[in-house]
C-alpha cells in the first residue's frame, strides 16, 4: 500500500538489511547509570576558585517593587557579588517565541518565584545564607490564578487561534443528541531527577563555555548571547546528558545557564548554579492546566457529527512555549476520531503563575482529555458505554483532520480491534461484571483509550538536524548531533544506525556530547522527533562515508564500487569475504587521502502548514495505539489500584525494542500520574502549596498497574520514521488518560446517582465524594 518515495533511497536500501537491528538492545547508558558513574551538571569537575550562585526570587505573585535592601547580604563574608537586571549588558529578555519575559524582574514581579537577583558566593551555603538577609518591599497588585479569571479580565498572551472543519453550527441541527459541558485538567510537575542547572567557565577573549542541563543547547547559546550583548560564536554550550527533561528543559533550562554566564562575564571566573528541589519546584513552570468547555453532537447511530470546544490554557506570567503548546492542543482536539464538523478555539490566558511550559505531549493530552470527557458524558446520558461511541468514530484511511491533513496509514481501528481480540475483551468484560456483582465494597471499572499523535514540530521550520561523523584512524567512530540524551535512549539509537551502515560492532561507536560548536543552529530535542531528525542526518552522513570507503576498497580489489559491501567488520567483494578488515580499510583510505569525516543535513520533506488558513500537512506521520485500563476502587476509602494496563502500540518497525518498551511504560505511568494523583496546588496569593514530595504525590511502585502488557502492532512503519521505527517518546503518555475514565466507571458501578465530573486529577478525595454523592434534582 505504501511506496517508498524517491527521496528515501537510503532508507529503502537499508530496509532489506535492518532486520538484524530489530532486536532488544540495552541503553548505552545503563552500565554507568547502574554504577552511579553517569555525569550530570552537578558532577562537572569544577575549576579552582569557582563561585556558586543562588537565585533570589519574588515572594509575591504580582506587585510593584518598592525597595530591595541587599546591604546585609552583600556584607556577608564570602559573598562575591549580587547581580540584578542593572548588570545586564545586552537585553534583559529570555522569551523564545514572544519577547515578554525578563531574565530578572525590573520594577514589577509577575509570579512567586520570579528571579530578581543572582547571589554569587564562595559556596552555595553562603549564597543561601545571604539570600535570607535580603529584604524586599512589594506593593501588591491583583493576582490572577485561573485561566477563567484571566479570560474575564481580558488577560492574554496573544491572539486566540481557531481551527475549523465543515460547519459545526449547522451540523448541530442534524444531531439526535447534543451535550455541553466543562472540563478541567490540572498541571503537572516534571520532576526530572536532575534539577535545573548550569556551569559557566570563562575561556580566553571573553568566550564562555556553558555546561547545561538543557534540551535546547542552541536556545541557551542564543539567549545568552542576547542577554550578554555578544556574538553567538563566543558562547559554547555543551550537554552530556540530562537526568530527565520531559519538556521541562526545552525552554526553562535557559535562564539558569544565562545567569551563570552573566556571572562569569562579570567576574571572569567559573560559576555554578544548580537549583535545589525547592527552588526548582517554586521557580519553574509546569504542564499547563486547562479549563475547557465543549459541545458535542451525535447522530442516532452515535456518529459524532459536530464538535465545538474552547480551551482556556493557563499560560502563566509569560509566553514561554505556550503559543506552540496551544497550537498542538488544537491539532489533537479530536484525538483518533473522525469528526466532520469541528470548531476549536484556544486562548492562552496570562496569569500570575510561573510560565507554564512543554511537558510530554505538549498540549496534546489536554486536548484529548476534553473529547474523551465529551464522549463519556454523551455515553452516560444516552445510556451506552463510552466504548461504543469511541469505536463508532475511529479514524479511517483518507479521513481529514480539522487542520487539513489527510490521514494515511491509519492504525486507529487496527490497534483498537487488535486490543479487543488480543486481550479477549469479552472475558475482561465478564470479569468486571462478575466482580461487581459479587462485591459491594470494591468495584472495578475499565476504560479504553485510543491515541493518535502527530510527529513533527508543529512549527515546520524547526524540523531539521545535522550530524557530524568522524571515523578515526583506528577505525573507531565518533558522532555528534543535536540530539540530547535525556533517558529516552536516542544515543543508543544513533549508535545502532552507524553500526548498521558500517557493519561494525556497537562498541566501536561513541556518541559525543551535544555541543553547539560541533553542531550548530539546532532545534531542541523534543516533539518526539529527536531520533527521526538526528538519526536521519546520521544515516545520511554514514552512507556518504560508506560510499567513499567502498570506492577505496574497489580500487584495491580492482572491481566496481557496487561489487563491494561491508559486513561484520570485513570488506566483501561480490558477497565473498575478503581479507580486508574495517580497520585496514580505514588505513587505506587515509593513505589515499580520503576524508573520513562527514557532516550531513536532514530536513523533513513534505510537511507544511499555513497559519493564515490554519490548514496544511504539519506532521510527517501519526502514531496510533489503544490501551485498556482496569482499576479496582475501594468504595469505603475512595482509594484505587490499577489491575492492568493492556496496550497495543504502533511502533512501526521498532529498531530498539527494549528502549521503546521503556518509553511506553514510563509514559503510561506518567500519564496515569497526571490523571489520577498529581495535584498541583497554588493558593489564592499564587504561592505553590504542593512544593515538596510530601504534598505532591507522584506514582510509586504501588500506583503502577499490577499487569502492564504491551503488544507491538505489526505495521509498515513509515518512511519518514528512522529506519521505519516510529517516534515513541510522547504518544504513550496519553494511554494514561484511560485511568481517569476507568475510575469513573468503577464509581458508577457503586453509585448510580453519581454525576460525572471531568476534573482531573481523580484523587482519592474526589473519588470518595463521587461514591457517596446524590444526583442533583
Ligand atoms: N524519556 C526519558 N527517560 N526522559 C525524558 O526526559 N522526555 C520525553 C520523551 N521520553 C523524556 C523521555 C519527551 S517530552 C520527549 S519530547 C521525548 O522523549 C524526546 O526524545 P525523543 O525525541 O528522542 O523521543
Ligand atoms: N513539540 C515540542 N516542542 C516544540 C514543538 C512541538 O510541536 N514546537 C515547538 N517546540
Ligand atoms: Mo517534549 S514535551 O516535546 O520535550
Amino acid at each position: 500500500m505504501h511506496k517508498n518515495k524517491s527521496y528515501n533511497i537510503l532508507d529503502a536500501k537499508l530496509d532489506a538489511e535492518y532486520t538484524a537491528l530489530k532486536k532488544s538492545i540495552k541503553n548505552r547508558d545503563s552500565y554507568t547509570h547502574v554504577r552511579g558513574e553517569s555525569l550530570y551538571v552537578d558532577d562537572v569537575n569544577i575549576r579552582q576558585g569557582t563561585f556558586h550562585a543562588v537565585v533570589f526570587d519574588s515572594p509575591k505573585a504580582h506587585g510593584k517593587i518598592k525597595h530591595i535592601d541587599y546591604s546585609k547580604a552583600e556584607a556577608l563574608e564570602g559573598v562575591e557579588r549580587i547581580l540584578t537586571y542593572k548588570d545586564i549588558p545586552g537585553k534583559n529578555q529570555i522569551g523564545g517565541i514572544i519577547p515578554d519575559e525578563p531574565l530578572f524582574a525590573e520594577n514589577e514581579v509577575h509570579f512567586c518565584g520570579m528571579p530578581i537577583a543572582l547571589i554569587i558566593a564562595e559556596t552555595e551555603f553562603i549564597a543561601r545564607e545571604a539570600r535570607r538577609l535580603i529584604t524586599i518591599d512589594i506593593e501588591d497588585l491583583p493576582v490572577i490564578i485561573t485561566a477563567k479569571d484571566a479570560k474575564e479580565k481580558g488577560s492574554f498572551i496573544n491572539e486566540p487561534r481557531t481551527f475549523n472543519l465543515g460547519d459545526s453550527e449547522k451540523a448541530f441541527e442534524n444531531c439526535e443528541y447534543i451535550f455541553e459541558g466543562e472540563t478541567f485538567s490540572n498541571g503537572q510537575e516534571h520532576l526530572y531527577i536532575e534539577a535545573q542547572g548550569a556551569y559557566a567557565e570563562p575561556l580566553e577573549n571573553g568566550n564562555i563555555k556553558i555546561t547545561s542541563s538543557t534540551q535546547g543547547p542552541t536556545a541557551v547559546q542564543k539567549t545568552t548571547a542576547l542577554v550578554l550583548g555578544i556574538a553567538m560564536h563566543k558562547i559554547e554550550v555543551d550537554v552530556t546528558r540530562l537526568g530527565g527533561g520531559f519538556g521541562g528543559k526545552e525552554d526553562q533550562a535557559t535562564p539558569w545557564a544565562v545567569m551563570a554566564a552573566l556571572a562569569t562575564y562579570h567576574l571572569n571566573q567559573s560559576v555554578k548554579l544548580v537549583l535545589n528541589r525547592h527552588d526548582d519546584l517554586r521557580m519553574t513552570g509546569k504542564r499547563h492546566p486547562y479549563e475547557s468547555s465543549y459541545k458535542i453532537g451525535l447522530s442516532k447511530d452515535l456518529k459524532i457529527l459536530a464538535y465545538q470546544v474552547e480551551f482556556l490554557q493557563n499560560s502563566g506570567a509569560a509566553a514561554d512555549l505556550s503559543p506552540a503548546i496551544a497550537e498542538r492542543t488544537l491539532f489533537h482536539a479530536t484525538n483518533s476520531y473522525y469528526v466532520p464538523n469541528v470548531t476549536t478555539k484556544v486562548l492562552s490566558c496570562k496569569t500570575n503563575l510561573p510560565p507554564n511550559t512543554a511537558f510530554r505531549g505538549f498540549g496534546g493530552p489536554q486536548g484529548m482529555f476534553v473529547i474523551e470527557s465529551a464522549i463519556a458524558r454523551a455515553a452516560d446520558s444516552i445510556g451506552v458505554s463510552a466504548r461504543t461511541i469511541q469505536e463508532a468514530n475511529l479514524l479511517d484511511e483518507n479521513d481529514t483532520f480539522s487542520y487539513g491533513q489527510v490521514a494515511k496509514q491509519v492504525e486507529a481501528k487496527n490497534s483498537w480491534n487488535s486490543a479487543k481480540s488480543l486481550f479477549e475483551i469479552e472475558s475482561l468484560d465478564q470479569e468486571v461484571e462478575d466482580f461487581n456483582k459479587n462485591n459491594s465494597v470494591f468495584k472495578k471499572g475499565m476504560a479504553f483509550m485510543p491515541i493518535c499523535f502527530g510527529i513533527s514540530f508543529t512549527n515546520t521550520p524547526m524540523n531539521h538536524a545535522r550530524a557530524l561523523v568522524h571515523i578515526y584512524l583506528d577505525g573507531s567512530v565518533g558522532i555528534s548531533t543535536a540530539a540530547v540524551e535525556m533517558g529516552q535512549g536516542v544515543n543508543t539509537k544513533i549508535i545502532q544506525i552507524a553500526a548498521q551502515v558500517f557493519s561494525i560492532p556497537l562498541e566501536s561507536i561513541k556518541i559525543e556530547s551535544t555541543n553547539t560548536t560541533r553542531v550548530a543552529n539546532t532545534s531542541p530535542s523534543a516533539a518526539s522527533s529527536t531520533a527521526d531528525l538526528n538519526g536521519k542526518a546520521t544515516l545520511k552522513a554514514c552512507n556518504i562515508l560508506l560510499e567513499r570507503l567502498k570506492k577505496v576498497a574497489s580500487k584495491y580489489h580492482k572491481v566496481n564500487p557496487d561489487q563491494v559491501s561491508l559486513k561484520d567488520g570485513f570488506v566483501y567483494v561480490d558477497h565473498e569475504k575478503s581479507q580486508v578488515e574495517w580497520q585496514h580499510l580505514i588505513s587505506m583510505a587515509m593513505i589515499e587521502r580520503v576524508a573520513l569525516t562527514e557532516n550531513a543535513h536532514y530536513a523533513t520533506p513534505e510537511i507544511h502548514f499555513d497559519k493564515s488558513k490554519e490548514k496544511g500537512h504539519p506532521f510527517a506521520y501519526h502514531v496510533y495505539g489503544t490501551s485498556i485500563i482496569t482499576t479496582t476502587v475501594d468504595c469505603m476509602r475512595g482509594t484505587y489500584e490499577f489491575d492492568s494496563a493492556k496496550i497495543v502500540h504502533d511502533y512501526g518497525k521498532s529498531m530498539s525494542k527494549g528502549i521503546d518498551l521503556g518509553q511506553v511504560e514510563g509514559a503510561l505511568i506518567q500519564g496515569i500520574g497526571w490523571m489520577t494523583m498529581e495535584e498541583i496546588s497554588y493558593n489564592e496569593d499564587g504561592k505553590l502549596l504542593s512544593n515538596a514530595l510530601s504534598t505532591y504525590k507522584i506514582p510509586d511502585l504501588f500506583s503502577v498497574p499490577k499487569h502492564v502488557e504491551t503488544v507491538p502492532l505489526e505495521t509498515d512503519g513509515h518512511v519518514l520514521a528512522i529506519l521505519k521505527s516510529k517516534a515513541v517518546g510522547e504518544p504513550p503518555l496519553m494511554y494514561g488518560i484511560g485511568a481517569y475514565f476507568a475510575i469513573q466507571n468503577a464509581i458508577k458501578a457503586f453509585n448510580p446517582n453519581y454525576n460525572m465530573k471531568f476534573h482531573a486529577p481523580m484523587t482519592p478525595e474526589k473519588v470518595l465524594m463521587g461514591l457517596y454523592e446524590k444526583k442533583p434534582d
Side-chain angles (χ1 to χ4, degrees):
M1 176 187 64
H2 195 87
K3 294 266 180 316
N4 281 327
K5 303 255 168 61
S6 54
Y7 55 72
N8 229 288
I9 29 173
L10 297 179
D11 268 6
K13 200 159 46 179
L14 269 168
D15 205 30
E17 303 162 8
Y18 68 7
T19 37
L21 283 182
K22 311 275 154 163
K23 56 182 186 200
S24 194
I25 179 162
K26 266 207 195 98
N27 190 313
R28 169 60 66 100
D29 280 350
S30 36
Y31 183 81
T32 51
H33 277 0
V34 168
R35 294 170 60 95
E37 291 170 358
S38 299
L39 296 180
Y40 302 90
V41 170
D42 209 25
D43 303 314
V44 170
N45 268 324
I46 57 173
R47 288 204 218 173
Q48 202 172 12
T50 291
F51 289 120
H52 299 263
V54 165
V55 179
F56 171 67
D57 60 301
S58 174
K60 297 266 177 145
H62 195 196
K64 278 201 174 69
I65 299 176
K66 287 292 172 200
H67 182 70
I68 309 179
D69 184 357
Y70 294 111
S71 58
K72 279 193 190 132
E74 277 166 338
L76 188 70
E77 196 178 326
V79 171
E80 181 67 18
R81 177 105 186 242
I82 296 180
L83 298 171
T84 69
Y85 75 94
K86 291 179 186 153
D87 301 297
I88 290 175
K91 286 205 165 76
N92 183 19
Q93 186 49 248
I94 59 167
I97 297 180
I98 299 173
D100 69 348
E101 188 177 1
L103 178 69
F104 292 125
E106 297 192 5
N107 304 313
E108 284 194 2
V109 289
H110 295 121
F111 61 93
C112 284
M114 182 176 184
I116 297 173
L118 188 72
I119 305 150
I120 301 137
E122 282 168 14
T123 67
E124 187 186 328
F125 182 80
I126 295 172
R128 285 193 185 282
E129 285 298 299
R131 182 164 73 175
R132 275 190 222 139
L133 301 174
I134 300 173
T135 54
I136 182 164
D137 182 13
I138 294 173
E139 181 187 312
D140 287 326
L141 289 170
V143 174
I144 301 177
I145 299 301
T146 66
K148 237 183 208 157
D149 192 18
K151 187 190 170 192
E152 270 165 28
K153 296 185 169 127
S155 172
F156 300 110
I157 295 288
N158 59 354
E159 291 297 308
R161 295 271 298 270
T162 296
F163 285 9
N164 195 63
L165 179 72
D167 186 341
S168 56
E169 255 334 297
K170 209 158 148 226
F172 279 119
E173 291 169 15
N174 304 320
C175 290
E176 175 81 12
Y177 308 106
I178 296 176
F179 304 99
E180 290 180 71
E182 298 198 341
T183 72
F184 173 78
S185 61
N186 206 336
Q188 185 176 22
E189 167 56 42
H190 300 86
L191 221 86
Y192 24 66
I193 293 176
E194 180 196 23
Q196 303 274 6
Y199 173 66
E201 310 167 65
L203 305 176
E204 60 185 16
N205 294 321
N207 298 325
I208 296 174
K209 181 177 173 186
I210 304 171
T211 304
S212 167
S213 179
T214 179
Q215 292 174 240
T218 291
V220 168
Q221 182 194 22
K222 184 178 147 203
T223 309
T224 305
L226 183 82
V227 172
L228 298 188
I230 62 178
M232 279 173 76
H233 70 196
K234 285 186 160 290
I235 307 292
E236 173 186 348
V237 180
D238 191 83
V239 185
T240 298
R241 68 163 65 68
L242 314 187
F246 305 111
K249 294 172 181 169
E250 180 174 340
D251 225 37
Q252 298 208 358
T254 300
W256 329 109
V258 177
M259 287 176 202
L262 177 70
T264 290
Y265 174 94
H266 283 289
L267 303 172
N268 198 34
Q269 180 56 279
S270 298
V271 176
K272 185 170 165 180
L273 167 55
V274 175
L275 302 190
N276 71 11
R277 185 63 66 184
H278 267 294
D279 286 359
D280 187 306
L281 290 172
R282 185 175 69 253
M283 295 179 196
T284 64
K286 305 164 196 325
R287 183 189 291 285
H288 294 76
Y290 272 61
E291 288 165 89
S292 313
S293 45
Y294 67 82
K295 182 173 174 185
I296 191 169
L298 299 93
S299 67
K300 211 171 181 172
D301 58 355
L302 302 181
K303 290 274 183 209
I304 305 172
L305 298 183
Y307 183 56
Q308 291 179 345
V309 55
E310 182 180 88
F311 298 105
L312 302 184
Q313 177 196 58
N314 190 332
S315 311
D320 192 270
L321 292 163
S322 295
I325 291 160
E327 179 180 71
R328 196 177 267 279
T329 301
L330 298 190
F331 283 120
H332 292 87
T334 54
N335 189 12
S336 56
Y337 308 110
Y338 173 63
V339 184
N341 302 286
V342 184
T343 308
T344 54
K345 182 178 181 185
V346 63
L347 295 97
S348 293
C349 301
K350 194 169 177 166
T351 62
N352 297 109
L353 301 185
N356 286 314
T357 194
F359 196 134
R360 209 170 193 171
F362 207 73
Q366 290 96 320
M368 286 156 65
F369 177 68
V370 181
I371 193 155
E372 293 303 327
S373 298
I375 289 172
R377 148 69 61 234
D380 189 51
S381 303
I382 298 169
V384 295
S385 69
R387 200 198 305 170
T388 319
I389 299 179
Q390 289 174 309
E391 186 166 335
N393 291 281
L394 290 171
L395 203 67
D396 241 326
E397 200 70 10
N398 295 321
D399 282 342
T400 305
F401 290 102
S402 69
Y403 46 93
Q405 183 159 345
V406 177
K408 298 283 179 190
Q409 288 182 269
V410 178
E411 305 292 351
K413 288 185 175 164
N414 190 11
S415 67
W416 180 279
N417 292 330
S418 302
K420 272 173 66 175
S421 63
L422 278 166
F423 301 128
E424 298 172 9
I425 189 64
E426 280 85 10
S427 65
L428 277 179
D429 277 333
Q430 196 61 52
E431 255 173 62
V432 171
E433 204 186 309
D434 291 348
F435 182 92
N436 287 348
K437 218 181 279 166
N438 298 325
N439 289 275
S440 51
V441 176
F442 291 89
K443 294 289 178 191
K444 282 191 193 294
M446 181 164 75
F448 273 58
M449 182 64 201
I451 61 150
C452 166
F453 195 80
I455 301 304
S456 286
F457 286 96
T458 53
N459 183 24
T460 303
M462 291 174 78
N463 294 283
H464 62 86
R466 282 152 303 287
L468 177 66
V469 180
H470 298 314
I471 304 173
Y472 292 101
L473 283 179
D474 64 353
S476 63
V477 175
I479 302 177
S480 298
T481 71
V484 169
E485 177 62 54
M486 54 188 120
Q488 87 280 41
V490 67
N491 283 357
T492 307
K493 289 186 175 180
I494 290 174
I495 288 169
Q496 286 180 274
I497 293 160
Q500 174 69 41
V501 176
F502 297 139
S503 200
I504 57 176
L506 300 166
E507 295 71 36
S508 307
I509 299 156
K510 178 191 172 198
I511 302 296
E512 307 291 352
S513 64
T514 315
N515 185 296
T516 53
T517 62
R518 268 180 271 117
V519 182
N521 307 327
T522 61
S523 293
S525 286
S528 303
S529 301
T530 315
D532 279 359
L533 297 173
N534 295 279
K536 291 252 182 189
T538 304
L539 185 59
K540 221 165 151 180
C542 291
N543 271 304
I544 292 166
L545 286 164
L546 175 67
E547 289 310 310
R548 251 180 238 158
L549 292 171
K550 279 187 182 173
K551 244 187 224 159
V552 172
S554 68
K555 198 169 156 194
Y556 174 82
H557 287 295
K558 302 194 175 56
V559 294
N560 285 324
D562 56 11
Q563 289 171 274
V564 174
S565 56
L566 297 187
K567 212 179 137 202
D568 301 334
F570 279 88
V571 171
Y572 278 61
V573 178
D574 292 330
H575 305 290
E576 292 274 324
K577 188 170 172 178
S578 80
Q579 296 299 309
V580 180
E581 276 185 77
W582 165 258
Q583 253 163 283
H584 184 191
L585 177 64
I586 300 306
S587 305
M588 288 199 287
M590 277 305 290
I591 289 162
E592 294 282 332
R593 294 184 291 171
V594 168
L596 291 173
T597 288
E598 188 56 38
N599 176 30
H601 171 80
Y602 173 78
T604 313
E606 283 189 3
I607 53 172
H608 56 87
F609 194 72
D610 181 349
K611 277 194 187 179
S612 69
K613 299 191 175 74
E614 301 289 26
K615 295 282 178 197
H617 186 106
F619 297 119
Y621 57 90
H622 290 82
V623 170
Y624 296 89
T626 300
S627 70
I628 306 172
I629 296 184
T630 309
T631 182
T632 304
V633 172
D634 178 335
C635 300
M636 292 272 277
R637 297 174 179 83
T639 53
Y640 44 77
E641 288 181 346
F642 294 102
D643 308 335
S644 63
K646 296 171 186 281
I647 296 169
V648 171
H649 184 76
D650 163 27
Y651 296 98
K653 302 209 175 300
S654 174
M655 65 181 288
S656 322
K657 292 201 165 100
I659 287 170
D660 286 352
L661 177 63
Q663 285 293 294
V664 172
E665 292 178 344
L668 165 76
I669 306 307
Q670 208 165 27
I672 291 177
W674 171 52
M675 277 286 112
T676 65
M677 63 177 70
E678 296 183 38
E679 191 165 38
I680 292 199
S681 171
Y682 291 93
N683 71 9
E684 51 198 35
D685 297 328
K687 265 212 165 62
L688 182 68
L689 300 175
S690 49
N691 65 349
L693 289 186
S694 50
T695 45
Y696 185 75
K697 179 89 180 79
I698 64 157
D700 59 15
L701 199 59
F702 302 102
S703 327
V704 174
K706 292 191 185 60
H707 301 279
V708 178
E709 198 177 342
T710 305
V711 178
L713 190 66
E714 290 297 329
T715 70
D716 285 346
H718 194 283
V719 287
L720 296 181
I722 182 68
L723 301 179
K724 298 198 170 180
S725 182
K726 284 189 170 185
V728 69
E730 294 167 287
L733 180 128
M734 284 144 275
Y735 291 137
I737 294 174
Y740 186 96
F741 297 95
I743 294 174
Q744 213 161 37
N745 287 338
I747 299 173
K748 276 208 288 188
F750 181 82
N751 179 9
N753 281 317
Y754 174 62
N755 188 21
M756 291 190 104
K757 276 167 231 51
F758 304 97
H759 197 281
M762 184 62 97
T763 55
E765 291 90 329
K766 286 187 199 157
V767 174
L768 197 61
M769 303 285 274
L771 287 166
Y772 294 98
E773 76 177 7
K774 297 204 165 69
K775 234 174 202 156
D777 304 319

